[in-house]
Structure formats: structure tokens, C-alpha cells
């Protein structure tokens, strides 16, 4: 059993997740901030294959397997060692992304996608998952406004795909009410940040002093 605290952040593209996580990380000097797919060299290499706009021929199952492979490497090489050292790990996306995007939106089935991920993560799950909920229309508008942001292969999917991603997340919130907490991400950055930090602090307080 690791002594650290594993917290993940989820949500559709454009929810502002990355901005908020960066702000949260600043509040905890010793926290490890990382992201999926990627976070370490091998996983970043897999990430560039998955998200390459030229890879239009990629089959959905290949996509799901690559995400799971990147997840495995990231977990073993970076997340677990940090948790074993008692650190708080803040991770931008984890297995729920695969369940919502590949399982639900791509139609592979959430249970099927969980099965291949089980092989990768051996049932290692976060203690808290914060889900930033936003209408896909608003999320896509935010992405288009953020000119500095790199557009990847999944951003190019149509609105219907992003609507399905959101439905997938809603199913997950229903299924894992003790682990996943939904935050309305349509508000200002300040509002969303305040709600997020409250949840993180409550989780850390629950675990007692370090
Ligand atoms: P990224 O640029 O990190 O997006 P964001 O900043 O919105 O998190 O790209 C990651 C993309 O990969 C994003 O569109 C979601 C998708 N994704 C999956 O489809 N399945 C997964 O398991 C993960 C981790 C990400």
C-alpha cells in the first residue's frame, strides 16, 4: 500500500482542466504534476503516435491499446514511485479518459476497455477523481480561442463525438459516486479553482497529517 495520494483530473477537451491543475499544483510544493498520455519519455513517444494528425488509419482498438500501454509505463516509472515516497500525485487524465473516449465515444464498450486497462494498471485506481463538466459546444469554443494550443487527432472529431465523450463521463460519475466528483466547469477560472482546491484539501485532510 503506497503512502501518497493519487488524484486524477478528467473532462472533455476545452474544460480548462490543464489550467486548473497547474494552479492546484502551485498550492502544494511537493506535489507531482503529470499528464497522460505521456509524462515520461517512452509514454511521450507513444503519445506522439496516438495524437499524430496524419494517423487517420488508426483502428479504435489500436488506439485503446496504445493509451493503455502509455498508461502502464507512466504508472510504473513515475506515478507509483512518487506515491511510494509519500507524495501527492496530480494526474491530468487516467483510465476514465479511456473509458469515456474509447469505451463510450468510440463504441468499444466501457467494460471491454476496462479489461485491457486492468492488465495495464492491475486495478490500481485513484483515490479521488475530479471531473470538469462542460457543454462540448463551449469546450470547443474555448479550444478555438486558445490559439497557442496544439490541435491533435482527437480534437478533430466532430461535435457528436465530443457529446458522446461527455455522456460517457456522466455514466462514470453515476457508476463511481464515491471516487468521482463532478465540478461545473462553465464558470470562471477562479470559481472552478476554488471548488477544486476544496475537494483536494478535503481528501488530504481525510488522510491525516503527513
Ligand atoms: P491533450 O492534448 O492532453 O488534451 P487535454 O489537454 O484536453 O487533456 O490530448 C489528449 C487527448 O487524448 C484528448 O483528446 C483525450 C484523449 N485521450 C483518450 O482518448 N483516451 C485516453 O485514455 C487518454 C489518456 C486521452
Amino acid at each position: 500500500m503506497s503512502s501518497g495520494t493519487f488524484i486524477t483530473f478528467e473532462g472533455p477537451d476545452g474544460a480548462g482542466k490543464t489550467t486548473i491543475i497547474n494552479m492546484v499544483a502551485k498550492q502544494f510544493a511537493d506535489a507531482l504534476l503529470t499528464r497522460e498520455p505521456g509524462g515520461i519519455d517512452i509514454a511521450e513517444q507513444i503519445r506522439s503516435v496516438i495524437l499524430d494528425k496524419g494517423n487517420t488509419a488508426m483502428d479504435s482498438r489500436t488506439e485503446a491499446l496504445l493509451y493503455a500501454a502509455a498508461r502502464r509505463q507512466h504508472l510504473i516509472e513515475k506515478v507509483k514511485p512518487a506515491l511510494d515516497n509519500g507524495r501527492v500525485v496530480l494526474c491530468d487524465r487516467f483510465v476514465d479518459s479511456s473509458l469515456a473516449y474509447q469505451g463510450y465515444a468510440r463504441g468499444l464498450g466501457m467494460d471491454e476497455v476496462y479489461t485491457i486497462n486492468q492488465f495495464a494498471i492491475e486495478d490500481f485506481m485513484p483515490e479521488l477523481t475530479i471531473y470538469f463538466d462542460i457543454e462540448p459546444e463551449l469546450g470547443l469554443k474555448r479550444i478555438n480561442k486558445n490559439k497557442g494550443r496544439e490541435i491533435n487527432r482527437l480534437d478533430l472529431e466532430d461535435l457528436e463525438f465530443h457529446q458522446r465523450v461527455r455522456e460517457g463521463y456522466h455514466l462514470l460519475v453515476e457508476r463511481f459516486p464515491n471516487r468521482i466528483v463532478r465540478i461545473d466547469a462553465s464558470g470562471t477560472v477562479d470559481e472552478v479553482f476554488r471548488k477544486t482546491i476544496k475537494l483536494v484539501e478535503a481528501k488530504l485532510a481525510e488522510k491525516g497529517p503527513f
Side-chain angles (χ1 to χ4, degrees):
M1 182 73 196
S2 58
S3 54
T5 308
F6 185 28
I7 301 176
T8 62
F9 298 84
E10 293 283 351
D13 307 74
K17 194 166 43 65
T18 308
T19 307
I20 303 291
I21 305 176
N22 282 322
M23 292 168 75
V24 172
K26 285 208 180 96
Q27 305 290 310
F28 303 99
D30 190 45
L32 171 70
L33 170 62
T34 188
R35 71 159 182 184
E36 273 203 5
I40 39 125
D41 191 38
I42 293 174
E44 289 289 340
Q45 290 179 48
I46 300 174
R47 175 191 173 91
S48 63
V49 173
I50 306 174
L51 297 178
D52 187 334
K53 288 196 289 280
N55 285 339
T56 50
M58 191 179 291
D59 172 73
S60 301
R61 287 180 183 230
T62 307
E63 184 181 281
L65 288 163
L66 286 173
Y67 278 119
R71 177 162 302 127
R72 169 77 187 172
Q73 190 64 29
H74 179 241
L75 185 66
I76 297 304
E77 212 182 312
K78 194 167 182 187
V79 175
K80 276 206 173 162
L83 290 171
D84 289 342
N85 281 330
R87 293 177 74 184
V88 174
V89 176
L90 306 170
C91 189
D92 190 345
R93 298 193 182 281
F94 191 60
V95 68
D96 298 298
S97 284
S98 284
L99 302 178
Y101 282 77
Q102 283 70 49
Y104 195 78
R106 290 271 191 241
L108 293 178
M110 286 190 168
D111 291 336
E112 285 78 358
V113 171
Y114 189 74
T115 302
I116 61 157
N117 274 277
Q118 212 168 9
F119 182 70
I121 65 177
E122 300 171 274
D123 286 326
F124 190 84
M125 291 297 276
E127 285 159 72
L128 170 68
T129 297
I130 300 177
Y131 160 58
F132 297 109
D133 188 32
I134 196 155
E135 302 257 342
E137 288 89 343
L138 186 54
L140 292 177
K141 232 187 243 165
R142 285 183 179 175
I143 289 177
N144 292 333
K145 257 206 223 148
N146 185 354
K147 297 272 186 262
R149 188 184 188 280
E150 160 209 10
I151 302 288
N152 67 51
R153 197 169 55 82
L154 277 93
D155 293 333
L156 297 174
E157 290 293 338
D158 60 15
L159 186 60
E160 225 176 275
F161 176 83
H162 293 283
Q163 261 150 0
R164 284 201 302 278
V165 169
R166 186 176 189 219
E167 278 168 38
Y169 275 124
H170 288 178
L171 290 171
L172 290 169
V173 173
E174 272 172 33
R175 197 151 147 188
F176 302 105
N178 296 329
R179 174 175 62 86
I180 310 181
V181 183
R182 174 191 168 276
I183 283 186
D184 177 0
S186 65
T188 64
V189 168
D190 220 48
E191 281 164 1
V192 179
F193 171 65
R194 269 204 304 268
K195 287 181 192 167
T196 308
I197 203 83
K198 242 186 179 173
L199 290 172
V200 173
E201 279 171 353
K203 175 52 70 183
L204 297 181
E206 209 179 89
K207 294 194 68 173
F210 287 99

